[in-house]
Amino acid sequence: MPGHSPRKVGVEEEFHLVDLKTRRLAPRAPELLLRLPDEVHVGELQRCVVEVNSGVYTDLAELRSDLDRHRKLLAAAGSALGVGVVAAGAVPLALPTEVEVAGPPRSQRMLADYQQLAREQSTCGTQVHVDLENRDDAVRVATRIAPYLPVLLALSASSPFSADGADSGYASVRSLLWRRRPSSGPAAPASSSAEYDSMVDDLVSSGVIGDPGMAYFDVRPAVKLPTLELRVCDSCPQLDTVLLVAALFRALVEREMTGLYAGTEGVEIAQTLTRAALWRAARSGLEADLVDVTVPEPRPAADIVDHLVRSLRPQLEEAGDWALVSELAADALARGTSAARQRRALDRRGRLPDVVDLLLAETVGHETTLPETEKMIRTGGRRVTGPQHRIRHGRPPHPIGPTSIDEQLLIAWRRDFHANPELSFEEHRTTDVVRRHLLGLGLAPVVLAGGTGLWCDVGPPTDDAVALRADLDALPVSEATGLPYASTIPGVSHACGHDAHTTMLMGAATVLAATPPPHRVRLIFQPGEETSPGGSLNAIESGALEGVSRIFALHCDPQLEVGSLATRTGPITSSNASVTVRLWSAGGHTARPHLTGDLIHATAVLVTGLASVLDRRIDARTATVLTWGKVDAGKVGNSVPEAGELVGTLRSASRETWATLEPIVERTIGELLAPYDVRYELAYQQGVPPVVNDRDCSAELREAIASAVGPENLAEAQQSSGGEDFAWYLEHVPGALGRLGVWDGTNDPHELHQPDFDLDERALLHGVRTFLALARGNRQMRELGVPRPTSHSH
């Protein structure tokens, strides 16, 4: 029977560790724990999470002092490592691909068993323990308390953002993730400790869970302590919220224990209604209606909270908590949830780091002042800072449907790739970053045989798929941009925008995994585009086109202003072939050229003559052009050399011409050199054919672009003389290539393949939107609330 002395209460708090520079998760728990003086700080499944266990107290003021002291101790130790601590259900800028699982066997077993469920567990909760030694009582009281869990969840809701930084639309996305586990639920359907223990033993025997501690009910008898444990709540940035939840839970335990021993019935509702009420609390927090489970009907959250507090007044007064809880509850309703405060922080400037800064400050009890607003533009449903000039990007596009991707996250991805470029078929790090991101989304990527490049499917397994392609590799070009995120690899840089291409397809994958398209979509991240004949052949050999009915890609265009995209029907790039001619002849003194093959003169004949003859032998409408890039012969001015070499590129807009050029080139070289005593060897490497956009696919791409940026920002692309190994895909399936405007509209354009190439990162979201329009089909985009934009004006 309950006595007059308040029951002891203790709290376990979980904290995210974030890098104070990047605001991203920091897997530094092992190092941090070594700096802490006592054993109340422990590691968790993820290396970016630390748990703190308070002492047990009857006085809430003493509990608060304990929690505050350990928060500040943890923050101080982390600061020495450049790490901050955040008490929240989840933090933005926390990609599952960056989460590292701790080393103990139990953690590794959980990862092996639960896979995505373990990888996505970058969440933190608050657990409250109330002294209750009789396990039979604990099991029965847990069932009686279950109908009130939604109120406690709503008070604690602090996880509005998904792991990728997108707004989940929920106040507590953490609680949704926990309910996906096989041993979750409001409370165990048991009426005694024997029944409860038998049920948990069966779960362990089944192999579904590894030990009794993995029975993750929202309220349960503790595994190692004589307590009843509340597990439903998010971690709470503000200690006042922790105190309020702890006081209400203790009062609930006291009231339901009294009712249990008095033989009175508790509130009896179906577990399905409890789960529905929990969903509503996770969805709305305190900012909208909650479910009154006794009716049932929706009622304002303030009414539900006020009713619960007043109904517990006898127990709160007996414990000496009534005045404190009344004040804390009123403040909570006036302040709103942490989820709402985080959204307000984001809405000020559109920067997710501002959200993390808010959480860092609240966790250690500092006052928070949101940054002053700047002149803003809205992108993807969020405001972000941006220069106020004539860039077309400035028009406010509509959100990408119910699940959006944060522009700041796209920029972070792109800059990471940009700083860590990898040459063709050496893209191991880039491939791994993409692979881990896709795994974190619940997808099943297939890595290509060489270990670089991958593809995967998203959406239902329909008979045919639409494919979207990005390329991973960088160029052997030294970067000269001076950017803070410039290449860290000497002699290698993303001077062609492939870092942007990869980023955009990752962004599209994020949205498509959350809100699947109506048909199967194949995402292809290929290696080696900058080589000849190109890494697309490796992707094709790996089965990337099996079941694909059409394919699309975008390529950065520095001549096109950001906010615009372009395409065309028919050839949009040219073929390429490498032409290398090596020459040999008798050398000698320049005073007696008649005794030599005069190799320099013969070389000059080839340099000028081969292009001229080809101009007459090939239809000019095919835009076939030979350009020499290297001429090497001779060392001094008075000596005729014995050997020389010419290297050039031959390009054509005609696939038919591309297929027949080699014999024409070889015959012409022989004819031009016939009057000279010069031997030659031709090395002709046929590169990629031209990209020829299919008529129907071009129309589909045009409609997608119009949906993404508005029809007034759809341009007609000029045919480029550059090559693109996307052409090999079109040898198998129809498709179309589009050009993405990346010029900022004010500075001089930076050409592709040059050391100073850079792009306007605001183009990234336009690329994501275009990919999504292609993946979903424009009809579904409109159904998801993505109408066509109408203007690009400021």
Side-chain angles (χ1 to χ4, degrees), residues 706-724:
S707 173
V709 298
E712 72 277 14
N713 298 300
L714 168 62
E716 180 70 13
Q718 300 297 314
Q719 183 178 4
S720 167
S721 294
E724 235 292 356

Side-chain angles (χ1 to χ4, degrees), residues 61-92:
E62 293 180 357
L63 174 63
R64 192 187 200 287
S65 177
D66 181 302
L67 294 172
D68 183 57
R69 179 173 63 86
H70 281 104
R71 285 189 177 206
K72 287 183 169 60
L73 183 64
L74 186 61
S79 179
L81 296 173
V83 171
V85 293
V86 167
V91 293

Side-chain angles (χ1 to χ4, degrees), residues 745-758:
T746 54
N747 299 302
D748 292 336
H750 300 286
E751 269 302 327
L752 298 171
H753 289 221
Q754 297 302 306
D756 65 347
F757 172 75
D758 190 25

Side-chain angles (χ1 to χ4, degrees), residues 17-20 25-35 46-50 78 80-83 100:
L17 305 182
V18 297
D19 187 293
L20 289 174
L25 288 179
R28 307 286 296 278
E31 301 165 70
L32 181 58
L33 291 173
L34 290 175
R35 292 173 172 261
Q46 310 290 3
R47 292 180 182 268
C48 54
V49 174
V50 168
L81 296 173
V83 171
E100 296 182 13

Side-chain angles (χ1 to χ4, degrees), residues 274-512:
T274 302
R275 293 180 69 92
L278 285 165
W279 176 87
R280 173 51 63 190
R283 175 69 176 85
S284 305
L286 299 175
E287 280 65 50
D289 289 347
L290 296 176
V291 176
D292 183 342
V293 295
T294 63
V295 180
E297 63 182 24
R299 289 176 56 198
D303 292 352
I304 298 286
V305 172
D306 183 67
H307 180 269
L308 177 63
V309 172
R310 292 182 181 278
S311 73
L312 293 172
R313 180 167 185 169
Q315 290 75 32
L316 293 169
E317 286 184 336
E318 184 178 6
D321 297 338
W322 169 248
L324 175 63
V325 169
S326 297
E327 180 182 353
L328 292 179
D331 288 347
L333 293 172
R335 188 174 60 239
T337 60
S338 169
R341 294 196 300 277
Q342 291 177 52
R343 287 189 171 109
R344 288 196 295 271
L346 178 64
D347 204 39
R348 298 282 292 188
R349 300 194 303 174
R351 298 181 68 251
L352 285 169
D354 288 350
V355 177
V356 181
D357 288 343
L358 172 72
L359 294 171
L360 286 166
E362 288 190 350
T363 298
V364 293
H366 291 170
E367 293 295 325
T368 55
T369 301
L370 293 175
E372 291 298 319
T373 56
E374 303 174 14
K375 290 185 179 180
M376 299 179 186
I377 54 180
R378 184 171 291 274
T379 331
R382 295 195 180 135
R383 293 189 298 175
V384 298
T385 58
Q388 302 298 301
H389 52 65
R390 64 188 182 88
I391 294 178
R392 297 187 189 188
H393 174 86
R395 63 151 293 278
H398 297 270
I400 309 173
T403 300
S404 189
I405 183 73
D406 186 82
E407 187 178 35
Q408 295 301 318
L409 184 62
L410 295 176
I411 290 172
W413 282 341
R414 184 255 166 172
R415 292 184 178 184
D416 176 67
F417 291 135
H418 192 87
N420 298 279
E422 296 173 297
L423 293 174
S424 300
F425 300 110
E426 297 177 7
E427 312 96 328
H428 295 284
R429 177 188 184 274
T430 308
T431 297
D432 190 54
V433 170
V434 176
R435 181 187 65 84
R436 288 188 291 140
H437 177 64
L438 297 176
L439 287 171
L441 298 176
L443 305 178
V446 177
V447 177
L448 273 57
T452 62
L454 67 163
W455 59 266
C456 74
D457 287 343
V458 60
T462 50
D463 291 338
D464 64 340
V466 57
L468 305 174
R469 176 277 224 164
D471 31 22
L472 305 175
D473 55 331
L475 286 160
V477 174
S478 296
E479 182 166 353
T481 63
L483 294 167
Y485 50 89
S487 170
T488 59
I489 310 301
V492 183
S493 69
H494 272 294
C496 202
H498 293 186
D499 51 348
H501 303 167
T502 301
T503 293
M504 294 184 302
L505 196 54
M506 284 176 64
T510 303
V511 179
L512 293 172

Side-chain angles (χ1 to χ4, degrees), residues 597-659:
D598 201 353
L599 188 137
I600 294 289
H601 182 79
T603 299
V605 169
L606 272 189
V607 168
T608 59
L610 183 56
S612 297
V613 173
L614 292 178
D615 285 347
R616 297 301 181 270
R617 291 187 174 178
I618 299 170
D619 190 333
R621 292 172 294 181
T622 65
T624 301
V625 178
L626 172 66
T627 304
W628 297 108
K630 175 184 177 183
V631 178
D632 183 12
K635 300 295 183 183
V636 295
N638 63 350
S639 177
V640 176
E642 295 179 342
E645 183 181 64
L646 292 84
V647 181
T649 303
L650 184 57
R651 303 177 185 274
S652 177
S654 165
R655 191 198 181 287
E656 291 73 19
T657 301
W658 163 80

